[in-house]
Amino acid sequence: MMIEEQRFEQLRAKVEAFVQDEMKDNDGSHDWFHVDRVRRTALTLAKEEGTKDLQTVELAALLHDIKDWKYSGEHSAGEDAVRAFLEAEQVPAEVVDKVAHVVKFIGYKTELGLIGQGKEVPLTPELAVVQDADRLDAIGAIGTARTFTYGGMRKRAMYDPARAPIKNITQEAYIKQHSENNHTVNHFYEKLLKLTDMMKTDAGRKRAKQRHEFMELFLKQFYAEWNCE
C-alpha cells in the first residue's frame, strides 16, 4: 500500500524529527548522519535493484537504529518502538509491518542467530537494500572511522595482541564479546570483514568490494605502525 504523496512528505518530516531526537545523545558512530547516509544509500540501491516500494525503504532506513540493542540493552526494543511510533501516526498496518520487519531482521547479531539455527534471513526487497546500505556504512573508510569512534565511546583498547578474534563467531559469543568490551581491531575480523560476503544485492556487493579492500589495507598499515616498522 502506497501512502499518498503529500501525506508521506508530512510523515517523513515527523520521522526525521523523531529519529534526530531519539539519537541526539549517541556518539558519532550511530548518529543522525549515519542514518541519513543509510537512507540515501538504500534509496540508490533500491533504484538500481528495481525495488518498487521506496516509501518502505526510506522509512525503514530512517528508523533502523531506533533503540539499538547496543545502546538500549534490549534486543527487541527497536521493533517495538518503531511499531508504536508508526501506529501513533496512523500509518497503514501493511506499511508498519513491512518497516518493522526490516528493523527486526536488519542486524548482524540477528543474522548470526539465524545462521546458528540453520536458517536464513526472511528477506524482502526492502530489507535487502536497507540491510546492504547499513552494512556498507559499516565498512570502508567511514566504517573504520565509526568502529574506532564506538570503541572510544566504550573506552575499549584499540588493539590487544594477546586477545585473538573469534573467526567463526556465534551470536552468543558476539554478544559476550560486546559486553566484555572486546578490543576494537577484533571487530574487523568478527564482523566487518565478513560483511561483503553477506551482501544481499548485486548493487551492494559491487560497492562493498572496494570498501573491503580499504579495510584490508588499513589493517596492514595499522599492524606495521603498531610494530614500529
Side-chain angles (χ1 to χ4, degrees):
M1 173 181 287
M2 295 291 292
I3 301 172
E4 187 271 327
E5 185 175 353
Q6 184 176 5
R7 165 69 178 124
F8 184 75
E9 290 178 0
Q10 295 170 344
L11 176 62
R12 178 198 289 126
K14 289 183 177 182
V15 171
E16 290 175 343
F18 171 66
V19 173
Q20 289 178 39
D21 183 64
E22 280 284 312
M23 304 183 74
K24 65 181 184 296
D25 295 326
N26 282 13
D27 62 282
S29 69
H30 292 79
D31 59 1
W32 165 252
F33 293 111
H34 161 65
V35 169
D36 188 47
R37 287 192 303 272
V38 172
R39 182 245 302 262
R40 288 183 284 132
T41 302
L43 288 171
T44 298
L45 298 181
K47 290 169 185 175
E48 289 186 21
E49 291 289 316
T51 306
K52 295 179 181 179
D53 189 352
L54 298 183
Q55 290 184 349
T56 293
V57 168
E58 184 166 8
L59 291 175
L62 285 169
L63 292 163
H64 81 276
D65 261 346
I66 292 296
K67 305 294 185 189
D68 185 294
W69 70 278
K70 296 185 293 294
Y71 295 86
S72 69
E74 299 292 333
H75 296 289
S76 64
E79 180 190 359
D80 294 342
V82 166
R83 281 188 177 278
F85 173 80
L86 294 176
E87 288 169 358
E89 292 297 327
Q90 298 183 323
V91 174
E94 178 184 341
V95 177
V96 174
D97 287 343
K98 291 174 75 174
V99 172
H101 181 83
V102 175
V103 174
K104 180 177 182 178
F105 288 106
I106 191 172
Y108 177 71
K109 172 181 65 66
T110 299
E111 188 161 358
L112 285 179
L114 291 169
I115 291 170
Q117 299 172 41
K119 299 178 181 178
E120 295 183 353
V121 174
L123 213 56
T124 63
E126 298 79 26
L127 173 57
V129 295
V130 178
Q131 186 184 74
D132 276 8
D134 188 36
R135 290 178 175 180
L136 285 169
D137 210 59
I139 61 178
I142 289 287
T144 298
R146 290 180 63 219
T147 299
F148 282 95
T149 296
Y150 183 77
M153 184 274 294
R154 291 293 301 253
K155 302 189 184 304
R156 291 176 174 170
M158 286 196 303
Y159 178 52
D160 179 357
R163 188 169 181 181
I166 302 171
K167 293 187 178 180
N168 296 310
I169 197 163
T170 63
Q171 183 189 63
E172 182 181 10
Y174 183 73
I175 294 170
K176 184 178 179 182
Q177 290 284 69
H178 180 269
S179 65
E180 292 181 353
N181 262 356
N182 189 17
H183 68 81
T184 297
V185 167
N186 271 357
H187 191 62
F188 285 86
Y189 299 97
E190 293 171 351
K191 178 181 178 181
L192 306 186
L193 291 170
K194 298 177 182 290
L195 295 182
T196 295
D197 289 337
M198 298 173 74
M199 292 287 164
K200 304 301 190 298
T201 68
D202 290 338
R205 281 186 285 274
K206 179 176 68 175
R207 287 166 172 79
K209 183 177 183 296
Q210 190 273 336
R211 299 188 189 205
H212 184 93
E213 291 170 353
F214 174 90
M215 292 190 298
E216 292 179 323
L217 288 172
F218 169 80
L219 289 167
K220 181 179 179 181
Q221 182 69 19
F222 181 92
Y223 293 131
E225 295 182 14
W226 184 272
N227 294 320
C228 304
E229 295 178 2

